[in-house]
Amino acid sequence: MQREKMTLTTKVVLGMVLGIITGLVINYTGVNTPESFVGDYVVGGLFHIIGTMFITALKMLVVPLVLFSLITGVLGIGDISALGKVGAKSFALYLLTTAIAIAVAITIAVVSGIGEGANLTTSAVFTAKEAPPLSAVLIDIIPSNIIDAMAEGKMLQIIFFSILLGISILMVGKKAAPIVSGIEIMNEVMMNMVNIIMAVAPYAVFALIAKAISNLGLYLLVNLAGYVIVLIIALLAHLYGTLMGLLKLFTGLSPMMFLKKMRSVQVFAFSTSSSNATIPVTLRSVTDRLGVNNSVASFTVPFGATINMDGTAIMQGVATVFIANAYGVDLGITGYLTVIMMSVLASIGTAGVPGVGLIMLSMVFTQVGLPVEGIGLILGVDRLLDMIRTAVNVSGDATVSVIVAKSEGKFDAEVYADPDAGVLTEADIHIDEQVEQELAEVIEKLHDSK
Ligand code: ASP
């Protein structure tokens, strides 16, 4: 393969692999100490700056992208009851997949007996932040000030407002044509912005992953190997077993194709540890690569990034069993059922941002009477596990998007089956000279007519 012919996915995966290798070398050689050249200028300097700039740029896109694509989506569905069906189906599927995820995780963890007889004591101190109660989550769906909701990136509020706005535009009818085309064009513009920012993704992914792995206490991984291995097995079982099983069952589509096309989204989720920051990439892949119509994806993707966290739920299941065993607490069936319920509810109220899983875990622990400071035990390895579970979280969002779209007839099977559909190449971020010329003429005419 020639270098310039490499697709973005290949480059991003290459960035990830090189990042892992670089991170391992830096960590292993121990050169990453405070006030050393590598510590200050490479890991804490170059890697940190490139990585953070990239994540910030992705976050910058999230709000306008969700806003324009969701309004376009509502305008595209046209029929309000169809919108209700998409909402109800995706909500039910998100809850179902999360519940299955945690139930399977608890089963695997109990069978493996992790943490038993560990007799561990905590050294790290963990102070839990409060997670919002369900009543507050419900009330909070409605923004009192949409500018504030956008400034704060409150996804459920933005979704609510965009749907309402879309419906209201539909109600205006023919007269709204200019605004409809304006919003559709803005949606296209935002997608181009995603493409531009994706062009630097391979370097950013490299920097983010190299930094995370350089800073990781690899020795902690060995100490907590039991927990880490069981958790990774449960995550893989969910991704390849449950999610792909559901995809096949509900749609009959090829899981292999799905996984192939989701690879770059998973790498983004892995390197950013944030389902929210990954929204632009997930949305692009789900529509352009997997063939889900924007009218469904523009709702299911941001909605899923907020309420659906299968990987995080799995972490909670495994962590609960691990810490209960380590402290010699017997939770019993009722205890575990409470854990399942709490995790599902907690995932609804918390957004997909790095480390939020730990906040949800403290909520679960308080409910079942496990010592919250037990979380200190797993704190050191959580950074890496957060990366892995976020990749599972976004895979769940995409799976549900495909299932819902297929059942609603809002799905393009040809796009799904075409391995090259929506592949991002350098041509996508190139400004066509002819187009540029045409646009210049249009602008000139506009000026003349003034
Ligand atoms: N980082 C995860 C996400 O954004 C949430 C978590 O598990 O902490 O999906």
Side-chain angles (χ1 to χ4, degrees), residues 273-276 305 308-309 311-312 315 351-358 360 382 386 389-390 393:
S273 290
S274 167
S275 313
N276 261 21
N308 182 51
M309 290 177 209
T312 307
M315 178 277 271
V353 292
V356 77
L358 287 181
M360 291 155 66
D382 198 65
D386 193 3
R389 66 179 183 253
T390 308
N393 288 349

Side-chain angles (χ1 to χ4, degrees), residues 208-290:
L208 283 167
I209 292 179
K211 181 185 164 214
I213 300 205
S214 309
N215 287 333
L216 209 73
L218 287 182
Y219 64 96
L220 281 173
L221 284 183
V222 180
N223 282 348
L224 286 168
Y227 169 68
V228 174
I229 292 169
V230 171
L231 180 46
I232 292 179
I233 291 175
L235 287 170
L236 294 178
H238 184 70
L239 173 61
Y240 294 105
T242 311
L243 289 179
M244 291 307 96
L246 288 176
L247 181 76
K248 187 83 200 164
L249 184 74
F250 283 121
T251 65
L253 295 166
S254 149
M256 291 307 280
M257 188 59 96
F258 178 90
L259 291 168
K260 180 175 166 4
K261 294 188 170 187
M262 278 300 288
R263 208 176 302 143
S264 58
V265 183
Q266 287 166 340
V267 173
F268 274 92
F270 181 78
S271 44
T272 59
S273 290
S274 167
S275 313
N276 261 21
T278 311
I279 288 175
V281 189
T282 318
L283 193 56
R284 189 189 178 281
S285 293
V286 167
T287 50
D288 296 9
R289 307 263 294 132
L290 293 172

Side-chain angles (χ1 to χ4, degrees), residues 26 30-41 43-44 214-215:
I26 293 180
V31 288
N32 179 25
T33 48
E35 286 176 37
S36 67
F37 177 79
V38 174
D40 281 356
Y41 295 102
V43 179
S214 309
N215 287 333

